[in-house]
Amino acid sequence: MEKQIKDYILGGMSLIWQRQATFLAATILSAYYFDPTVALFWYSLVLLSEFIDNTISRRILRHGKWSLADGRRFMMYLLGSTVISSVTICGFVISMATKAGPTAYFTPLFFLFAAGIFAAVNNHQILPVLLLRLLMYGLSFLYIPLHDLIGYWPPIDDILWLQLFTSLFVMYFVIDCSFIFLKLYRHNLRQLKNLQKEHERTKVAYKAKTEFLATVSHELRTPLTSISGSLSLISSGALDAAPEKRQAMLKIAESNCARLTFLIEDILTLQSLESDELTLSFEPLELGEFLHDVRDAMHDRVETAGMTLTVGQWPAGIHIRADQARLLQLMKNLVSNAVKFSDKGTTVTLSADITGGMARLAVADQGIGIPPGAQAKIFEKFTQLDNSDQRKVGGAGLGLNIAQLIAEKHNGTLTYESTLGEGSTFYVSIPMTEKKPSASPQDKEKPTTSKRLRGAARRKAG
Ligand code: ADP
């Protein structure tokens, strides 16, 4: 409402001098051809109504913040000033017609026509104001030819009848024009609203892009600094006499390379998930086997952090349909978070159960926990609860967002329970396969990738 009222006022104010010129011209003509006293009387009333309208308009424009009640009040003011202004214009025109006597009312009707067109072009922003003005002008339009017709009642071929029919035609034309302008104005308003929404969306996307660049460049720079520091120390020969220190430096470089790979993998996955380019290849996975795959993939990382990764309980013989690589990526993100937000010496436990007809994988840690009310924030991308420069752990704020998108791609969900200071458990619920697929003889002969991986890890551990 605020925009419509302001558009109306500004439109009216920008045409103030054109209006004054029209009123003056009408007054001069009426004074010369009809009656100067009557013309000046109505002209002064028109000027008074212009003054009232102008004062109200300025007051409305000066008003600071608008409430709904303010909007309604201003609308009443404008309706009031419209009544005053149209009554004076109609009075002016009718008095001129009365002075002209029973004849063809060429001049007064033309003046009314001009006022009607003026209203159609400039008052279409506020429908009640437009309707009120058109109603007053319409009544005057009819009154002028009708009052003579009623008095004389001439035959149908008389000019007075022609005048009435022409007035009706002109009235229809003015009303039609008004509604065309009204429609155009409303169409423009809608377009403006859409543009504003689009602008807001672009601003949000631009902010996200800036945040993304800031976070990712920080996340790239930190490991790169470690890698280049370690490598320059080794290549300078300073560690030639201490092979164990050189080995430690290489380990640092290696783990930072892994961190970079992790980040780039996350960014690529997010990009393909968001552009819907990621095609998943579903296969049946046995819960216990999959949990051990996760443990094997994350074992070294957890051990390096001085923590333990164990596999707890899982229901035997349950299969889910999943894209193994993506589900593994999801679980790796959860374990990686568990490591980042827990202290040395604590344990991360992988387990599974069946809840609400779904298989539910769990990653439980004994870390810092998540404060209540942080649910929406932690699943947003590029969002970390502690995003200060002083935060101890790295991360681009992508892990949980990607994990959630992957879970959704599996028709599943990602939820968590957490107690501040005691730890968090993240749950991935995935639909189970309808029928338990039985292992084919071939499967029995050829160990699956996961079995091979586990065997290798166990051999390594042994
Ligand atoms: P990042 O790993 O880069 O911090 P994530 O999207 O994986 O981004 O996690 C978002 C935020 O959620 C983390 O910054 C952290 O504040 C919180 N969070 C996630 N997992 C855990 C957890 N296991 N324990 C405590 N806080 C966590």
Side-chain angles (χ1 to χ4, degrees):
M1 193 194 307
E2 180 176 345
K3 171 149 179 51
Q4 278 160 277
I5 290 183
K6 283 188 174 164
D7 280 351
Y8 168 82
I9 292 178
L10 291 173
M13 285 179 116
S14 70
L15 294 169
I16 190 161
W17 294 116
Q18 278 100 317
R19 267 200 322 272
Q20 301 319 311
T22 318
F23 293 142
L24 192 63
T27 309
I28 292 170
L29 287 179
S30 333
Y32 187 75
Y33 287 100
F34 304 117
D35 184 334
T37 322
V38 175
L40 282 175
F41 169 74
W42 283 107
Y43 181 56
S44 48
L45 285 188
V46 169
L47 284 187
L48 182 67
S49 81
E50 280 284 303
F51 173 75
I52 295 172
D53 193 52
N54 210 274
T55 314
I56 289 176
S57 299
R58 284 183 192 282
R59 204 172 136 193
I60 295 177
L61 285 185
R62 268 204 309 273
H63 192 82
K65 218 170 154 34
W66 284 46
S67 67
L68 201 64
D70 288 332
R72 286 207 193 105
R73 188 158 46 90
F74 295 154
M75 184 68 96
M76 294 319 285
Y77 289 170
L78 291 179
L79 284 174
S81 89
T82 304
V83 172
I84 296 174
S85 141
S86 38
V87 162
T88 49
I89 290 173
C90 293
F92 194 162
V93 172
I94 290 174
S95 75
M96 233 193 287
T98 319
K99 285 279 158 200
T103 173
Y105 299 110
F106 174 78
T107 312
L109 285 179
F110 247 100
F111 281 171
L112 261 185
F113 173 64
I117 289 288
F118 207 86
V121 177
N122 299 306
N123 295 162
H124 54 263
Q125 299 89 343
I126 307 178
L127 186 62
V129 168
L130 176 68
L131 290 180
L132 193 61
R133 225 176 243 284
L134 290 182
L135 180 74
M136 308 281 278
Y137 294 164
L139 289 177
S140 311
F141 239 123
L142 289 180
Y143 172 76
I144 294 173
L146 266 179
H147 87 281
D148 271 355
L149 270 177
I150 292 165
Y152 297 96
W153 209 249
I156 194 75
D157 57 353
D158 192 274
I159 189 138
L160 289 181
W161 282 107
L162 175 63
Q163 196 167 240
L164 175 71
F165 297 138
T166 314
S167 300
L168 286 174
F169 166 74
V170 169
M171 250 172 70
Y172 165 77
F173 173 75
V174 170
I175 290 172
D176 200 35
C177 273
S178 310
F179 283 94
I180 290 173
F181 278 105
L182 181 75
K183 256 197 219 153
L184 279 177
Y185 177 71
R186 292 204 166 160
H187 176 73
N188 288 345
L189 267 190
R190 270 197 303 277
Q191 273 190 330
L192 191 76
K193 268 195 198 136
N194 288 344
L195 271 178
Q196 273 166 345
K197 266 194 214 147
E198 207 52 52
H199 178 64
E200 284 308 312
R201 268 203 290 272
T202 316
K203 263 178 28 193
V204 171
Y206 184 76
K207 190 165 165 257
K209 192 198 99 189
T210 315
E211 277 170 16
F212 170 77
L213 283 179
T215 320
V216 168
S217 34
H218 177 265
E219 278 307 299
L220 288 174
R221 202 179 46 218
T222 318
L224 273 176
T225 314
S226 298
I227 295 167
S228 84
S230 312
L231 293 181
S232 8
L233 213 61
I234 294 166
S235 69
S236 71
L239 302 178
D240 283 356
E244 63 300 334
K245 278 196 183 153
R246 202 171 55 190
Q247 203 53 35
M249 282 294 139
L250 282 173
K251 266 255 166 249
I252 291 175
E254 197 180 31
S255 79
N256 278 293
C257 279
R259 187 172 156 186
L260 284 177
T261 314
F262 211 79
L263 173 67
I264 287 163
E265 209 175 291
D266 268 358
I267 293 173
L268 290 176
T269 310
L270 182 69
Q271 197 271 332
S272 47
L273 275 167
E274 287 196 334
S275 57
D276 236 1
E277 279 168 9
L278 193 78
T279 40
L280 303 188
S281 52
F282 289 93
E283 54 177 323
L285 295 181
E286 199 272 319
L287 282 183
E289 222 165 73
F290 179 67
L291 288 179
H292 284 90
D293 284 350
V294 178
R295 193 196 60 184
D296 294 345
M298 293 303 285
H299 179 265
D300 286 358
R301 169 103 200 264
V302 181
E303 295 275 295
T304 315
M307 294 164 59
T308 314
L309 181 61
T310 61
V311 178
Q313 305 260 315
W314 75 90
I318 299 293
H319 286 75
I320 49 174
R321 268 183 67 72
D323 180 313
Q324 184 176 13
R326 294 299 162 196
L327 201 59
L328 190 63
Q329 187 180 5
L330 184 166
M331 295 296 281
K332 274 160 76 178
N333 280 351
L334 296 184
V335 177
S336 160
N337 276 348
V339 172
K340 282 199 290 188
F341 299 104
S342 304
D343 289 330
K344 269 187 185 167
T346 56
T347 301
V348 177
T349 310
L350 307 171
S351 62
D353 63 7
I354 294 176
T355 304
M358 307 265 265
R360 194 173 69 155
L361 300 155
V363 177
D365 65 47
Q366 299 166 328
I368 61 169
I370 300 168
Q375 165 118 19
K377 197 167 177 201
I378 63 169
F379 287 111
E380 252 175 55
K381 59 181 171 234
F382 308 123
T383 308
Q384 288 155 329
L385 288 186
D386 176 10
N387 57 4
S388 64
D389 288 343
Q390 293 79 41
R391 73 191 154 99
K392 291 193 217 95
V393 292
L398 289 177
L400 288 183
N401 186 264
I402 291 176
Q404 193 177 42
L405 289 173
I406 294 178
E408 282 165 7
K409 282 267 173 195
H410 283 81
N411 292 326
T413 55
L414 175 65
T415 51
Y416 71 88
E417 284 167 0
S418 184
T419 310
L420 213 51
E422 286 181 21
S424 316
T425 305
F426 279 83
Y427 298 106
V428 188
S429 300
I430 302 274
M432 294 181 281
T433 48
E434 275 164 25
K435 232 174 84 205
K436 206 169 79 179
S438 52
S440 69
Q442 256 173 321
D443 287 341
K444 277 180 192 154
E445 275 164 30
K446 231 187 328 160
T448 59
T449 321
S450 47
K451 276 179 187 152
R452 280 201 305 276
L453 272 171
R454 229 167 58 222
R458 283 199 194 110
R459 277 196 297 283
K460 208 168 143 196

